[in-house]
Amino acid sequence: MANTETALKECLASIEGATGVALVDYTSGMALGTMGGSKGFDLNVAAAGNTDVIRAKMRTMEHLGLKGEIEDILITLTNAYHLIRLLKGRGGNGLFLYLVLDSNRANLAMARHQLKKIEEELEV
């Protein structure tokens, strides 16, 4: 089992094209940990903003009567992928991993696979 810091380091080290990662509590919008990012890209601001994305999708699913769970949410930008993965394991309720990828270097399918693997090992 990996702690938060180890999991975040593994995301940056093992996922090709990863430029930033955060573990976020979507009930509060607070990042529990961040790594990477850049001077022009504040992971804490992005983490808080993406809680609104999750909340909106959950409300929409509720209004539509959809019973499935969100596995991940993908936002594609011109030069980046933003991948939001809700945690399912023990202690993961209300948490998500937020991964920023350089779309010119990333393999999205492999990134999703690796992020799922890291999520399964994460002990919060």
Side-chain angles (χ1 to χ4, degrees), residues 82-101:
H82 292 213
L83 189 57
I84 300 166
R85 179 159 186 92
L86 278 70
L87 272 60
K88 303 285 189 259
R90 308 182 292 281
N93 192 23
L95 301 178
F96 68 92
L97 283 166
Y98 171 62
L99 180 66
V100 181
L101 300 157

Side-chain angles (χ1 to χ4, degrees), residues 4-6 20 25 27 29 33 37 39 48 53 56-57 61 72 75 78 81 91-92 95 98-100 116 122:
T4 299
E5 183 178 354
T6 302
D25 176 349
T27 59
K39 189 175 182 179
V53 172
K57 186 60 185 172
M61 289 175 65
D72 56 33
I75 300 168
T78 305
Y81 299 129
L95 301 178
Y98 171 62
L99 180 66
V100 181
K116 180 179 180 182
L122 179 60

Side-chain angles (χ1 to χ4, degrees), residues 1-8 23 87 89-92 95-97 116-124:
M1 289 291 146
N3 66 21
T4 299
E5 183 178 354
T6 302
L8 297 179
L23 177 65
L87 272 60
R90 308 182 292 281
L95 301 178
F96 68 92
L97 283 166
K116 180 179 180 182
K117 183 178 165 191
I118 291 167
E119 177 231 340
E120 290 170 349
E121 295 293 319
L122 179 60
E123 179 75 35
V124 182

Side-chain angles (χ1 to χ4, degrees), residues 1 43 58 63 65 95 97 105 113:
M1 289 291 146
L43 280 166
M58 289 181 158
H63 292 316
L95 301 178
L97 283 166
R105 297 185 302 127
H113 174 75

